[in-house]
Amino acid sequence: MKKLFLLDGMALIYRAHFALSKTPRFTSGGLNTSAVMGFTNTLLDVLKKEKPTHMAVVFDTDAPTERHTDFEAYKAHREAMPEDLSKALPYIFKVVLGFNIPLITSDGYEADDIIGTLAKKAEQKGYQVYCMTPDKDFAQLVSDNIFIYKPARMGNDMEILGVKEVLAKWEVEKVEQVIDILGLWGDAVDNIPGIPGIGEKTAKALIKQYGSMENIIANSHELKGKQRENVEQFAEQGLLSKKLATINLNVPVELDEAGLEMCAPSKELLEPLFAELEFRTLGRRVFGDDFSIIETRAAGTQIDMFGAPVAEGRTTMQVEITDIAESPTHAAKNITNVEHEYHLADTPEKRAELVALLSQQTHICFDTETTGTDANNCELVGLSFAIKPGQGWYVPVSAVKEDCQSVVNEFKAVLENPDIAKTGQNIKYDIMILKWYNVEVKGKLFDTMMAHYVIDPDTRHNMDILAENYLGYKPVSITELIGPKGKNQGSMRDVDPEKIKEYAAEDADITLQLKTVFESKIKEAEAEKLIHEIEHPLIYVLADMEYEGVRIDEGALRDFSKELEGDIIKLEKTVYDKAGVRFNIASPKQLGEVLFEKLMLDPKAKKTKTGQYQTGEDVLLALANKSDIVRDILDFRQLQKLKSTYVDALPLMINKKTGRVHTSYNQAVAATGRLSSNNPNLQNIPIRTERGREVRKAFIPRDENHILVSADYSQIELRIIAEISKDENMRAAFTQNLDIHTATAANVYGVALDQVDGTMRRNAKAVNFGIIYGQSAFGLSQSLGIPRKEAAEIIEQYFIQFPGIKNYMADTMNFARENGYVCTLMGRRRYLRDINSANQTVRGFAERNAINAPIQGSAADMIKIAMINIHRELKAQNMAARMTMQVHDELVFDVPHNEVDKIKPIIEHHMKNAIKTEVPIMVEIGTGLNWLEAH
DNA sequence: CGAATCACGC
DNA sequence: GACGTACGTGATTCGA
C-alpha cells in the first residue's frame, strides 16, 4: 500500500513551539532550539511509526492568498510570530531537507489548499493519505482513504481521525458539513467572524437541526431573538466565512509520485546541523549510538537554507523501526437496528394493561423523564419501560402533584417488587426521583452506565455514545426536544407527550439492548463479581445517602462569612498599600504584572504558556523572602477560596424541601474506581489549615438527639501496597502497628525509630504519598521543595529498603505490557492503551497508571464493600442511624445517641473485613457534635 | 462561553 | 538527556 504523508509545516512548527513553551525555552543566540527539536522529534516519530512510502512538507510563503481578505490583518498575524521562532524557521527547513523530504512552498496558495489538492489526487491513484494539519482545517476532506494524522502530544498518543471519528467529533452526518460549522462559527480564517454570537456549540446544534448553513439562513424566521437577528444581518458574512474556510482543491500542482518517494536521510546534511544545535539524543535516534557531536563538529559543513540539493542514490529508510502495539478496540457494531414499536400509555386502561404486563416479568428496564437534572430538585414528567428489544412504553404524568402521584402509585408495586430485576442507564437518578414520589425501588439492578464503567473505565459512558458504539444506533437527541443547553433550554414538561414517547421509550429500549451486549462483555472481562456484588448493590447505598443528605449549620457559616469578609478587606488594603496600586488580586494576570513588572520581585519570573506570569502557590512561596506582600496575597487567596467555594456556597446548596445538603456521588468518573462528589463536592472540604477547618464545624448532626460518627481507614493505600507487594519490611511495620511514615523514614535513612526527625518523616511521608499517587522523582522534588537529584536518591534508598515494592512495580508493569490492563484486588480492570507506546511521555502516563490503579482501585473496592455491608446491616437491624458521607477512606454517619455504642462495632467490623487481607487493617472511629470533632 | 489559572481534598 | 509528570470539582478572570 502506498502511504503518503502530507505535513503542514507551519502548523507543526507552532505545535512544537507551544508544546514546549510551557517550560523555559532553550534559546541560544535568539534561536528557539526547542521548537526545532520538537519538530524534528515529531518528524522522526512519524517516520519510525508510520513508515510512509511518500511524503511532503508544505509551507506557506508570506504572500497573501485569495483566502486572505484583510491583508493588513494578515501581515500583523504573520509579524506576530515570536522572534525566536522565526529564527528557528530556516533550521527547520534544513531538517526537512536533511531527511530528504520534498519541501513544497506555496506561491499564492494556502498550505491547506496544496495539501488538499495533492491528497485528492493521491487518493484517486490508490494512496492512503495522511494529512498532518490541524483537524479543524482539514476535517471536511476526510474520506475512505484520506485521514487526519495528529502526532502524539503530552498525555495523548498519536491519533488518526477517519471519517467515523470526524463525524462523531463534529456531530454531523456528512463531512462537508464541517465547513458549515466553521463558517457559522467563524473560527476558520483569521478575522472573518462568521456569524456573531454563534460559537462552536451553537453552530453544531444548528447544523444538526438544519443540515446546512444555507438552510439555516433560509429558515431564519424559525430562530429566536438575537440569534435570528444575527443570522439575518450577517448571513452574507457567514457565507463568505464558509467560502474562505473551504479548501481549494484546484491548486495547479502535480502529484509527482517519484519526487515524493521516501529515501534515506542525508548524513551529510543532518550531522553538522545536529552538531550545531547540540542535538545529541536526536542524533543517536537517527544515526545510532555511535553518533557524537564532537567528531562531527570538527568535520561540520555549513549548508544554505535552500541551496543543498537532495542527495542522490536514494535507498530505503535506515532509521530504526519500532512497531506500535495495536490498541484494543472494543466496539461491536453488528446489532441491527430493529423495527420498533413504541406505545403511549396515557389512559388508566392502557396503564393497567402495562402494569399487568410488567408484573409478569422477571426483569424490566425503566427510565424517568423529569424537568431537570438535579434529582432532589425536579419533577417527574413521565416513566418509560421496556421488556424486550424494539418495544417500549411511555407513561406521561400530570403536572398536578396529586394526579402525578396517583399514576406513580399504579406502578409502585412493580417497582418495589424485589423479584423483578431493574435495568436502567444511571439508574441511581431514577431511584432518587422515585424516592421523592414515595417509591422504594427494589430488586436486582443492572445499570448500563456502571456496566460500561467496569468494562472500560477510561472512556465515556454517556448513553448516546454507548448506543452508537455498541448498537450502531443513533438515538433521538434530547436537544431535539428541549433545545440546546443554556439558559433558554426548554423543559421536558412543555413537550408533546407523543414526541417524548419516541425519545423516552427509545431510551428504555436501547438501555435494554445495551444490557445484552454488556453482559457478555462483563463475562469476557471477568467482572461479574465486581459489578453484581459491588457496583450495582452500591447504587442503592448511594441513593440512600444522597437522599438523606447532611445538615449544615447555616448560621455558623453566615457568621464565618462575615468574619472572612472583614479579613479579606483588611488584607486587600495591606496589599494595595504595599504594592502602591489598586488592582484585582484575584486576577492572576493583574497580580503577575504587579509583582513582576511593578515590584520586580523576580527578574527571571516564569511565564505560563499564554504569556502570563506564574503566580501559583509554590512560585509565590519562593518569593516570600523578597517581600512580605506575597504572604498577604497567599492569605488573601486562601480566605477568598474558603469564602467563595465553601462558606458562601454551601448554604446555597441547602435543599428547600429538606433543609439539608444533598450531594451527588458520581460512581462512574474516576478511572481508578473511586467515587467523586459534586453539588456540592463534599470530598474537598478543608482540613489542613486552622481556618479551613472551621468549615467542617458547620457539618452537624440531624438534631440534638443525634451525633456524628466518623470512621477512617488508617493508611489504607499503604496497607494495600504491603498486601499486594508482600514486601516484608512494609508488612512488618504494619503488623507491629508502627507509625508507617516514621518506620519508612527509619528504613530509608538507616536510623533507629526514635532517631527519626521531622524532616526525615516528612520526606518519607512524601515518598509514600508519591507511590500511592504514581508520582515520579520530579513530582516528589516539587512537593518537598528539594532538588530532583536528592529526591531521586531518597526514592532509590526507598526501593532498596522495600524491594518487594520495587518488584511489585516491575511485575505490574510487565503484566500491563503483556495484557494491556491492570487489575485491583476485586478484579476491577483498567486498560492502558498506551503502555507500549513508543512515545515516552505517553507511555510514562500509562506506566504510572499501571502502578497506581491497582492500589487506589483496591482501596476503593474495599470501602465500597464496607459501605454495602454496613448499609445492609443497618437495615437488617432496623437502625435509625444513617450513612451520610464518603470521602475516599472515610465514612460519616448521623447516629441517634442510643445507637452509638451499637453502631461502632458494626462499622469497624465491616470496614476491617471488607476484603480478606493478611496485613492488618485499622479503622479509627470518632464521634462529635460536628464533623471536625468526629474526625 | 470557553480556556486558563488557582486551590481544595485524598 | 530531554520530554513531563496523580485525580476530580469548583471559583474566578478574561477575551471572544
Side-chain angles (χ1 to χ4, degrees):
Chain A
M1 182 53 120
K2 292 181 288 186
K3 216 170 162 183
L4 170 64
F5 266 72
L6 296 166
L7 282 65
D8 179 340
M10 288 314 294
L12 263 187
I13 291 173
Y14 269 102
R15 182 189 156 278
H17 173 72
F18 286 116
L20 296 171
S21 61
K22 282 191 204 165
T23 48
R25 290 197 289 278
F26 294 88
T27 49
S28 62
L31 168 65
N32 181 344
T33 52
S34 13
V36 186
M37 185 183 288
F39 180 92
T40 316
N41 258 319
T42 307
L43 202 57
L44 207 53
D45 270 351
V46 171
L47 296 178
K48 282 190 176 186
K49 284 210 275 191
E50 307 300 330
K51 297 163 229 160
T53 60
H54 298 69
M55 201 159 180
V57 182
V58 183
F59 279 93
D60 300 328
T61 58
D62 278 1
T65 72
E66 57 168 11
R67 282 166 70 186
H68 296 112
T69 49
D70 184 343
F71 184 55
E72 285 308 313
Y74 176 76
K75 249 174 69 185
H77 168 72
R78 274 293 190 235
E79 279 161 11
M81 184 184 214
E83 193 199 353
D84 54 350
L85 199 57
S86 67
K87 282 193 184 163
L89 206 54
Y91 285 87
I92 286 172
F93 285 153
K94 288 184 195 174
V95 169
V96 175
L97 290 172
F99 276 103
N100 266 334
I101 297 170
L103 214 162
I104 302 174
T105 50
S106 74
D107 193 10
Y109 291 94
E110 292 282 295
D112 275 349
D113 298 335
I114 298 170
I115 293 179
T117 308
L118 286 176
K120 278 288 169 197
K121 287 188 174 173
E123 186 193 21
Q124 282 162 13
K125 293 207 168 174
Y127 282 81
Q128 260 188 23
V129 187
Y130 295 83
C131 302
M132 284 172 79
T133 77
D135 59 336
K136 196 173 66 187
D137 302 353
F138 221 72
Q140 51 184 293
L141 280 191
V142 165
S143 71
D144 284 346
N145 277 312
I146 301 181
F147 304 92
I148 295 167
Y149 184 90
K150 299 177 79 177
R153 273 212 319 270
M154 203 274 288
N156 295 86
D157 210 347
M158 162 280 291
E159 255 183 300
I160 292 175
L161 304 182
V163 176
K164 197 181 76 187
E165 288 79 12
V166 166
L167 291 183
K169 179 169 173 176
W170 291 85
E171 300 165 28
V172 290
E173 276 157 25
K174 286 181 275 185
V175 284
E176 293 82 11
Q177 289 173 331
V178 174
I179 317 174
D180 287 68
I181 293 178
L182 288 173
L184 284 170
W185 178 14
D187 199 49
V189 181
D190 302 296
N191 305 303
I192 298 296
I195 292 180
I198 296 188
E200 182 180 2
K201 279 190 150 179
T202 326
K204 280 182 182 173
L206 285 172
I207 289 300
K208 208 169 189 178
Q209 202 178 339
Y210 290 93
S212 74
M213 189 191 266
E214 287 76 8
N215 234 338
I216 295 166
I217 293 167
N219 294 294
S220 61
H221 55 274
E222 290 177 19
L223 302 171
K224 278 184 273 184
K226 192 81 186 162
Q227 197 173 70
R228 171 178 178 177
E229 222 174 85
N230 278 335
V231 168
E232 288 173 354
Q233 189 184 342
F234 294 98
E236 208 169 310
Q237 181 172 291
L239 289 169
L240 176 63
S241 168
K242 173 178 172 179
K243 187 172 160 247
L244 295 174
T246 311
I247 291 175
N248 175 2
L249 297 180
N250 298 311
V251 177
V253 55
E254 284 312 310
L255 182 74
D256 172 11
E257 291 187 68
L260 299 183
E261 213 168 306
M262 281 308 301
C263 52
S266 154
K267 213 166 168 145
E268 299 76 48
L269 296 183
L270 283 183
E271 274 188 349
L273 180 66
F274 286 180
E276 184 190 343
L277 295 170
E278 302 187 29
F279 286 178
R280 293 179 190 82
T281 322
L282 263 173
R284 280 201 293 276
R285 263 189 89 186
V286 180
F287 300 111
D289 282 339
D290 50 350
F291 175 81
S292 150
I293 66 167
I294 300 170
E295 284 170 38
T296 37
R297 255 196 179 165
T301 48
Q302 291 295 320
I303 51 168
D304 295 336
M305 195 163 131
F306 288 104
V310 173
E312 282 177 74
R314 295 173 162 194
T315 54
T316 49
M317 293 286 299
Q318 284 175 344
V319 289
E320 154 214 352
I321 308 289
T322 44
D323 287 322
I324 37 162
E326 250 179 64
S327 48
T329 51
H330 55 259
K333 300 212 169 191
N334 43 14
I335 305 266
T336 46
N337 182 359
V338 284
E339 292 270 313
H340 58 240
E341 46 177 296
Y342 297 147
H343 313 277
L344 189 63
D346 55 354
T347 65
E349 296 75 31
K350 287 183 192 166
R351 285 196 299 266
E353 212 175 298
L354 175 58
V355 170
L357 182 65
L358 293 173
S359 315
Q360 295 162 15
Q361 308 300 317
T362 52
H363 73 258
I364 62 173
C365 176
F366 80 99
D367 187 22
T368 57
E369 299 308 329
T370 61
T371 53
T373 50
D374 177 0
N376 294 309
N377 222 339
C378 65
E379 288 170 24
L380 189 65
V381 174
L383 287 162
S384 55
F385 296 93
I387 55 176
K388 66 175 191 194
Q391 246 185 8
W393 286 265
Y394 176 63
V395 185
V397 299
S398 159
V400 181
K401 205 156 191 297
E402 292 73 30
D403 299 347
C404 169
Q405 185 65 54
S406 77
V407 172
V408 173
N409 287 347
E410 294 170 28
F411 291 87
K412 188 173 158 84
V414 168
L415 293 166
E416 294 192 342
N417 186 338
D419 297 324
I420 302 179
K422 314 289 191 303
T423 297
Q425 161 81 7
N426 191 11
I427 203 167
K428 174 160 66 75
Y429 179 82
D430 308 292
I431 293 173
M432 297 283 296
I433 296 290
L434 289 167
K435 271 174 180 287
W436 285 105
Y437 289 86
N438 202 20
V439 173
E440 277 300 316
V441 175
K442 293 196 186 75
K444 210 171 164 238
L445 296 180
F446 191 100
D447 188 333
T448 45
M449 181 178 81
M450 290 315 300
H452 192 256
Y453 176 65
V454 300
I455 293 166
D456 190 359
D458 273 295
T459 50
R460 301 190 52 204
H461 321 295
N462 179 312
M463 200 195 70
D464 293 2
I465 295 175
L466 296 182
E468 255 184 276
N469 284 347
Y470 292 91
L471 304 173
Y473 183 83
K474 211 169 174 161
V476 178
S477 146
I478 188 152
T479 51
E480 280 177 40
L481 293 181
I482 58 173
K485 254 195 192 161
K487 57 177 188 229
N488 293 325
Q489 189 169 44
S491 161
M492 201 60 116
R493 181 70 83 199
D494 310 322
V495 183
D496 173 20
E498 194 61 45
K499 260 190 173 169
I500 305 184
K501 181 196 81 180
E502 285 303 313
Y503 164 82
E506 183 184 70
D507 264 14
D509 177 20
I510 287 170
T511 307
L512 193 66
Q513 296 187 42
L514 282 172
K515 176 177 182 244
T516 321
V517 179
F518 290 158
E519 271 170 340
S520 61
K521 296 254 165 211
I522 286 170
K523 207 168 258 170
E524 273 170 42
E526 295 166 30
E528 287 138 309
K529 270 185 83 129
L530 176 65
I531 186 121
H532 294 309
E533 292 176 24
I534 300 182
E535 301 299 357
H536 283 155
L538 187 67
I539 293 173
Y540 281 128
V541 181
L542 295 178
D544 277 353
M545 289 167 74
E546 292 180 18
Y547 186 72
E548 193 62 30
V550 285
R551 186 171 165 216
I552 298 290
D553 187 343
E554 213 180 333
L557 286 179
R558 297 236 186 278
D559 293 346
F560 191 31
S561 174
K562 283 202 195 97
E563 187 190 318
L564 288 174
E565 176 85 56
D567 290 356
I568 288 172
I569 291 172
K570 261 187 248 161
L571 278 170
E572 251 179 345
K573 212 174 153 336
T574 330
V575 172
Y576 293 154
D577 286 348
K578 286 180 184 164
V581 58
R582 287 182 70 89
F583 63 101
N584 186 350
I585 311 175
S587 162
K589 195 180 150 152
Q590 295 182 28
L591 176 65
E593 281 159 15
V594 170
L595 285 184
F596 300 112
E597 279 171 21
K598 182 153 191 310
L599 299 179
M600 302 293 255
L601 285 188
D602 183 355
K604 285 183 300 204
K606 270 195 252 173
K607 289 194 178 184
T608 64
K609 60 178 172 188
T610 46
Q612 280 187 39
Y613 292 102
Q614 283 184 6
T615 62
E617 188 182 352
D618 48 341
V619 178
L620 292 194
L621 275 181
L623 301 174
N625 55 352
K626 296 248 173 77
S627 162
D628 51 359
I629 192 173
V630 296
R631 191 63 257 169
D632 296 325
I633 291 166
L634 286 171
D635 285 346
F636 170 88
R637 277 215 185 129
Q638 197 207 355
L639 299 189
Q640 176 93 352
K641 160 90 180 174
L642 215 56
K643 184 168 182 296
S644 64
T645 312
Y646 306 105
V647 182
D648 288 347
L650 276 173
L652 299 177
M653 308 295 294
I654 294 176
N655 187 296
K656 289 203 179 65
K657 285 181 278 188
T658 63
R660 295 164 72 84
V661 168
H662 304 264
T663 188
S664 169
Y665 289 101
N666 198 331
Q667 209 179 340
V669 276
T672 50
R674 277 185 172 185
L675 298 177
S676 80
S677 150
N678 62 15
N679 296 313
N681 183 351
L682 294 184
Q683 295 181 322
N684 72 342
I685 305 296
I687 187 154
R688 272 161 221 202
T689 61
E690 190 66 34
R691 308 201 69 169
R693 273 200 278 267
E694 286 294 312
V695 180
R696 292 205 169 211
K697 286 193 188 159
F699 286 75
I700 54 176
R702 168 175 297 275
D703 54 37
E704 60 276 15
N705 298 320
H706 287 70
I707 191 165
L708 291 187
V709 174
S710 157
D712 247 82
Y713 275 116
S714 142
Q715 305 298 349
I716 186 62
E717 274 106 347
L718 287 174
R719 287 173 201 269
I720 284 171
I721 295 175
E723 175 74 20
I724 49 189
S725 73
K726 305 209 184 303
D727 183 275
E728 286 308 323
N729 279 339
M730 178 81 62
R731 281 185 168 213
F734 283 121
T735 346
Q736 293 164 38
N737 201 14
L738 301 175
D739 174 280
I740 187 62
H741 301 311
T742 309
T744 308
N747 270 312
V748 170
Y749 290 97
V751 297
L753 280 172
D754 52 12
Q755 286 183 326
V756 172
D757 64 25
T759 315
M760 287 152 96
R761 185 177 184 278
R762 202 168 58 92
N763 288 356
K765 187 175 173 182
V767 186
N768 281 333
F769 205 71
I771 299 232
I772 296 170
Y773 293 130
Q775 271 186 337
S776 53
F778 178 86
L780 183 68
S781 69
Q782 288 283 299
S783 58
L784 280 174
I786 57 173
R788 194 161 128 185
K789 205 172 165 197
E790 205 174 307
E793 277 164 18
I794 297 177
I795 291 177
E796 192 188 337
Q797 197 55 36
Y798 186 96
F799 285 136
I800 293 174
Q801 291 302 316
F802 300 105
I805 295 182
K806 190 165 192 187
N807 288 338
Y808 156 74
M809 288 179 152
D811 292 347
T812 314
M813 218 98 92
N814 285 333
F815 182 91
R817 275 196 267 270
E818 266 167 45
N819 299 286
Y821 67 88
V822 289
C823 49
T824 66
L825 289 175
M826 295 307 292
R828 181 193 304 281
R829 283 188 194 178
R830 174 146 190 212
Y831 286 91
L832 300 162
R833 287 170 187 72
D834 302 335
I835 192 78
N836 291 313
S837 166
N839 180 293
Q840 285 188 43
T841 311
V842 173
R843 195 178 59 242
F845 266 96
E847 284 172 355
R848 283 194 293 279
N849 282 335
I851 307 291
N852 172 246
I855 298 167
Q856 263 196 47
S858 298
D861 291 348
M862 190 180 273
I863 197 164
K864 281 177 172 178
I865 295 173
M867 288 166 76
I868 295 163
N869 291 338
I870 294 170
H871 182 256
R872 185 177 296 145
E873 181 146 2
L874 292 183
K875 277 222 156 140
Q877 302 226 24
N878 236 332
M879 291 171 71
R882 293 284 181 268
M883 195 187 305
T884 55
M885 296 193 275
Q886 191 256 35
V887 189
H888 307 309
D889 63 356
E890 176 186 6
L891 295 175
V892 181
F893 301 81
D894 212 347
V895 183
H897 289 299
N898 61 2
E899 287 184 3
V900 172
D901 291 337
K902 189 175 172 189
I903 200 173
K904 278 188 180 173
I906 294 177
I907 297 171
E908 188 172 354
H909 172 82
H910 288 301
M911 285 178 79
K912 279 188 172 175
N913 297 296
I915 297 177
K916 193 89 211 93
T917 56
E918 286 173 29
V919 173
I921 302 293
M922 298 292 282
V923 176
E924 285 159 15
I925 301 186
T927 57
L929 291 175
N930 62 57
W931 190 8
L932 183 62
E933 230 176 274
H935 183 78

